Structures are given as C-alpha cells and as structure tokens.
Amino acid sequence: MPTPPSYADVESAATRLEGHAHRTPVLTSRRVDGEIGAKLFFKCENFQRMGAFKFRGAFNALAQFDSEQRRAGVVTYSSGNHAQAVALAARILGIPATIVMPHDAPAGKLAATMEYGAQIVAYDRYTENREEIGQELAAERGLTLVPPYDHPDVIAGQGTAVKELIEDVGELDALFVCLGGGGLLSGSTLAARALSPSCRIYGVEPEAGDDGLRSLRTGSIVHIETPRTIADGAQTQHLGELPFEIIRRDVDDIHTATDAELVEAMRVFAATLKIVVEPTGCLAFAAVRRLGKALAGQRVGVVVSGGNIDLDRYAAMLAGPWNTRS
Ligand SMILES: *Cc1c(COP(=O)(O)O)cnc(C)c1O
C-alpha cells in the first residue's frame, strides 16, 4: 500500500488546481444559525466544476500522469460524480478516458459523462465487482486506474476544499464531512488538522450503510452489502485503505443520517440557502441538524459535497413518501 498523503500534498494539489477548479463560495444563513444555535459555514462544492468536489481529486491525479500514461489513457469506476470528474479532467488534459459505471446510475450523471467524451462500460452494481472490471481493463489496455477514493493524489485533491474553507472563514470548532469511501473525509482531515488543530472532525454516512462507523469502532475496515439509500454517492461497501489510515488517526467520530433526514436537509437547502443539493451532499448538514443543541455556540464547517441530481427525481423526493408534513 502506498503511504497516505500529508498536508504538504494538499498544498501541492491546491497549486495544481489553480486556474482549473473553482474556489467555491462559503454560504451562511442567519436563519439556519438561529434554528441550530450555532454559526454554520457551508462550503458549497455543488458549485464546483461538474457539480461536485470530485473534480479536485481527479484533476490532481490526472495532472501528474507522465507522457506514456497520458497517451494510453485513464480508466475508473464510479456511480457518477467521480466518473464525470475524471471525464472532465481527462478532456481538459487531452487524455482518453474509459469509465465503468452502474447501468442504473442517474441518467443525468450518465449523460454528462458521455458529453465529456468518455467511453462508458456498464455493469450491475448489485451483482458485479466494479473494482475487478476496472483492474481488468487497466491490465488489458495499459490504462492507468484512478479509483474514486483509495489513491493519495485523489485524497490530496479532495482536501483542497476544506483548506479553502478554513482559509476563508478562520478556525472552526467542528467540521462535518459526508462519507462514502473516505476520500473527501480523509483529505478534509489533513487540511483541518493543519489549519485548525483543535477542530473536532466528524464523518457522516447513510444510516443504511454504517460501515465507516463500525470500522472506526473496531479498528479495521468493515465490508457491507451495497446499502440501499437515496445517497447514491455514498453507496460504498467499505472505506478505502488509505483514507482509513487517516480517518482512524484523526477523525473524532462518525454520525449517520436517514433518508428522511436527507430529504429534510435538502428542503432547507432549497428553501433557505436557495441551493440544489443532491442527497449525498446533504449528509453533513443532516447530522448537524440532528445534533442541534449539542453544537450550541460553536463555529461549525459543513461540507456540501455536490448538487448533481435529475430534477424529476429531486421534485419527487421533496414531494414524496419522505415528506412527513401534511
Ligand atoms: C463521492 C461523493 C461523496 C463521498 O465521497 P468519498 O470520497 O467517497 O467519501 C459524497 N458526496 C458526493 C456528492 C459525492 O459525489
């Protein structure tokens, strides 16, 4: 296993991303602060290029390919946002891209990935192993595999979002980051530990797939079946080994959120902050809302990881069975 990246790697990634990734805005809301009783800073990666933080890690990894790797191309597997991120980064850098995607990936994510010019290989996420398919393609065609989270350059790139957040708003008492395979949480942890050393750092994963929580508790990576949740960006079966090294060392705890809580958070994002956030992007805020009073008086960073969702699905969620209001 390669060694986990350090904060110096996050700094190098930030330099590489300059002029390519957006420095996304940090939103605040007096109304939401008043409801929670804390000062919340929302780092809005739904405004990142291709609509999620994943552009940061993908671009940081692909920008370091040598000329032979660039010529042969990149391969990856992803349920959506990492696919779009690799496809866009590859197009910018002139590298051919092959993406292994579940056949039931959200239509908008599939379409966007194709629009960026990538070749798509479909698989069944409930019966086939995407990692094996990606590795086979890499071996057969001489492609370089850039996985969605278990890679030092991906982790370092993801860390640049929280680096920007703390540079922009100052030190935090607590930071909440959504958790799938752990690329974003581990990169964020590197940045937070360096720039706001006493900040408590929390991952948030879907309640239907609490493998991260169980991994942190037991000290080794827990594998689960693909969890059934609307948070499709966090339907991972296990944490990555490199992210887990960092998470186990420096993350304080992991919280969970139910699908109903994600929809409620999505509703507040739309109604109050006026932003469209995909279910996975609501995890951190959902946990903050559940904790409520426990965070009273604190300065809290909330990573809003992405905003890619089909509008029909979005509307159905806000109107649908998760809506407990009359
Ligand atoms: C990928 C993704 C996540 C989870 O990130 P990991 O690095 O796998 O933990 C969260 N939110 C969105 C929007 C994503 O695309």
Side-chain angles (χ1 to χ4, degrees), residues 51-54 81-82 109 148-149 158 178-185 233-234 236 278 280-281 283 305-307:
F53 70 92
K54 289 229 172 57
N81 283 333
H82 179 66
K109 291 183 179 182
Y149 47 83
Q158 318 304 33
C178 50
L179 174 61
L184 181 62
L185 177 59
T236 39
E278 63 182 278
T280 318
L283 280 163
S305 57

Side-chain angles (χ1 to χ4, degrees), residues 32-111:
V32 174
D33 286 357
E35 280 163 16
I36 310 273
K39 183 88 196 109
L40 306 188
F41 300 96
F42 296 96
K43 177 62 171 171
C44 289
E45 287 294 295
N46 54 310
F47 293 127
Q48 187 50 264
R49 289 189 73 172
M50 54 60 56
F53 70 92
K54 289 229 172 57
F55 179 73
R56 297 174 182 270
F59 189 89
N60 186 49
L62 269 66
Q64 295 178 72
F65 277 21
D66 65 24
S67 56
E68 176 52 30
Q69 290 175 301
R70 281 175 192 245
R71 194 194 53 72
V74 60
V75 61
T76 195
Y77 42 81
S78 167
S79 61
N81 283 333
H82 179 66
Q84 276 168 262
V86 166
L88 175 58
R91 195 186 66 183
I92 292 169
L93 294 162
I95 298 171
T98 304
I99 318 277
V100 181
M101 278 184 103
H103 60 70
D104 60 344
K109 291 183 179 182
L110 267 171

Side-chain angles (χ1 to χ4, degrees), residues 7-19:
Y7 181 62
D9 299 307
V10 178
E11 288 179 306
S12 310
T15 305
R16 251 174 237 120
L17 285 169
E18 240 167 35

Side-chain angles (χ1 to χ4, degrees), residues 7-325:
Y7 181 62
D9 299 307
V10 178
E11 288 179 306
S12 310
T15 305
R16 251 174 237 120
L17 285 169
E18 240 167 35
H20 296 288
H22 297 315
R23 190 175 184 104
T24 52
V26 178
L27 296 188
T28 57
S29 160
R30 282 173 197 236
R31 172 132 171 234
V32 174
D33 286 357
E35 280 163 16
I36 310 273
K39 183 88 196 109
L40 306 188
F41 300 96
F42 296 96
K43 177 62 171 171
C44 289
E45 287 294 295
N46 54 310
F47 293 127
Q48 187 50 264
R49 289 189 73 172
M50 54 60 56
F53 70 92
K54 289 229 172 57
F55 179 73
R56 297 174 182 270
F59 189 89
N60 186 49
L62 269 66
Q64 295 178 72
F65 277 21
D66 65 24
S67 56
E68 176 52 30
Q69 290 175 301
R70 281 175 192 245
R71 194 194 53 72
V74 60
V75 61
T76 195
Y77 42 81
S78 167
S79 61
N81 283 333
H82 179 66
Q84 276 168 262
V86 166
L88 175 58
R91 195 186 66 183
I92 292 169
L93 294 162
I95 298 171
T98 304
I99 318 277
V100 181
M101 278 184 103
H103 60 70
D104 60 344
K109 291 183 179 182
L110 267 171
T113 306
M114 285 195 286
E115 265 167 40
Y116 292 133
Q119 193 200 328
I120 293 180
V121 176
Y123 79 104
D124 180 346
R125 71 165 104 201
Y126 297 104
T127 62
E128 289 183 293
N129 184 325
R130 63 183 196 170
E131 294 167 33
E132 275 168 23
I133 299 171
Q135 275 151 13
E136 274 164 28
L137 285 167
E140 281 165 18
R141 304 184 194 173
L143 311 177
T144 301
L145 180 66
V146 175
Y149 47 83
D150 210 356
H151 191 292
D153 301 337
V154 172
I155 293 169
Q158 318 304 33
T160 58
V162 163
K163 175 178 183 287
E164 292 171 5
L165 168 63
I166 300 173
E167 283 169 356
D168 286 357
V169 308
E171 293 202 24
L172 300 167
D173 298 309
L175 174 70
F176 289 79
V177 183
C178 50
L179 174 61
L184 181 62
L185 177 59
S186 58
S188 301
T189 297
L190 296 175
R193 276 285 163 268
L195 299 176
S196 185
S198 62
C199 174
R200 275 163 299 107
I201 303 168
Y202 301 110
V204 187
E205 64 188 347
E207 197 158 282
D210 65 342
D211 58 294
L213 174 64
R214 286 155 57 198
S215 302
L216 194 67
R217 294 274 191 277
T218 60
S220 62
I221 297 173
V222 170
H223 290 242
I224 58 168
E225 292 294 307
T226 300
R228 299 199 183 242
T229 165
I230 57 171
D232 56 276
Q235 280 185 309
T236 39
Q237 293 177 279
H238 56 86
L239 297 179
E241 290 180 23
L242 285 175
F244 185 59
E245 287 301 304
I246 297 167
I247 290 168
R248 147 163 92 179
R249 187 180 69 209
D250 272 329
V251 166
D252 291 277
D253 206 356
I254 292 175
H255 294 277
T256 61
T258 64
D259 282 1
E261 287 173 316
L262 295 180
V263 172
E264 272 304 307
M266 202 185 284
R267 183 188 306 279
V268 177
F269 275 135
T272 309
L273 285 135
K274 317 300 177 193
I275 56 176
V276 173
V277 183
E278 63 182 278
T280 318
C282 295
L283 280 163
F285 185 38
V288 166
R289 295 183 77 236
R290 193 199 282 189
L291 286 168
K293 296 278 175 290
L295 298 169
Q298 299 189 17
R299 293 168 49 82
V300 180
V302 181
V303 176
V304 180
S305 57
N308 290 330
I309 179 163
D310 292 335
L311 279 186
D312 290 347
R313 191 165 167 257
Y314 183 72
M317 278 178 188
L318 291 187
W322 301 279
N323 182 2
T324 52
R325 295 163 186 214

